[in-house]
Amino acid sequence: MTPREPAAHPPAAPDLVGSLTRLLAAESDAEAAAAGVESHDIQQAVWLRLLERLHGPGAPEDPARWLRGAVRAEARRARRAAVRELPYGREPDARCGPAGAAGSGPERAALDAERRRALRSAVRRAPARCQRLLSAMLSPSDPTYREIAGKLGISQGSLGPMRSRCLGCLRRMLAAEVAVPDHRGRVR
């Protein structure tokens, strides 16, 4: 038996990595933003696909050309996946789920503290009447409508409409601070 002559194979993996790294980085950087994914995610997927094909059937004859097509294919796959993935409508409740879940612990405490800080900051920027009303409503003593109306010197009947206007003002201020993502996760 005579040993078969190896067919013309593409360069070895270390040679490919060295020669294609910069091309892959440039191609994936160009495609990542439009796909809504990180460039490194595309690079990792393409390297994996290339290594799977390198010495098997379907090995690319022109690795640089194959790489460009693979980057575009990965970007298309990421775009399709982004359309199918739906964000949570709200964050999971800390009371739901097992103890030690993502809804408890230092992360939850930090997020809650940040929300309270943002809320207090927005209340301080509200008009003076709204500042007084919202501060009274956010009081840790949890006063009743009668107590809040007495403290502010207004009738209890006008407290509801005033509260509604102030909460609307607060909602608009907080919504302006947070950019609303569109359905593909990009910020408008």
Side-chain angles (χ1 to χ4, degrees):
M1 284 174 66
T2 61
R4 290 187 344 178
E5 291 261 336
H9 286 289
D15 296 336
L16 275 177
V17 169
S19 65
L20 296 178
T21 299
R22 291 171 62 190
L23 175 62
L24 177 59
E27 291 288 327
S28 59
D29 286 347
E31 293 289 332
V37 296
E38 295 289 324
S39 172
H40 295 294
D41 292 340
I42 292 177
Q43 291 177 33
Q44 182 178 5
V46 170
W47 279 129
L48 182 62
R49 286 178 56 194
L50 179 62
L51 290 175
E52 288 171 345
R53 294 173 175 253
L54 195 57
H55 295 293
E61 291 183 24
D62 183 5
R65 183 172 172 210
W66 178 89
L67 181 129
R68 288 183 185 99
V71 167
R72 284 170 184 76
E74 274 305 312
R76 280 191 306 273
R77 185 201 56 75
R79 278 192 294 273
R80 283 191 309 269
V83 169
R84 288 189 307 261
E85 294 173 356
L86 299 174
Y88 282 116
R90 61 179 178 84
E91 290 187 20
D93 192 356
R95 294 175 298 246
C96 297
S104 62
E107 290 178 25
R108 172 60 61 190
L111 288 172
D112 289 344
E114 176 62 22
R115 285 188 186 111
R116 284 191 301 273
R117 185 207 58 76
L119 179 63
R120 296 284 181 189
S121 174
V123 168
R124 283 192 300 272
R125 292 190 317 269
R129 288 180 60 140
C130 289
Q131 280 183 24
R132 289 192 309 271
L133 173 64
L134 294 171
S135 294
M137 291 180 71
L138 292 170
S139 172
S141 65
D142 196 26
T144 64
Y145 265 35
R146 175 177 276 166
E147 293 169 340
I148 294 172
K151 180 179 178 183
L152 297 177
I154 59 175
S155 71
Q156 191 173 342
S158 64
L159 190 58
M162 183 178 169
R163 176 190 65 104
S164 181
R165 286 190 301 273
C166 290
L167 288 176
C169 176
L170 187 65
R171 189 177 301 116
R172 286 187 299 277
M173 288 188 331
L174 290 172
E177 291 178 5
V178 178
V180 178
D182 70 1
H183 76 282
R184 291 193 179 171
R186 292 187 211 111
V187 176
R188 292 185 216 174

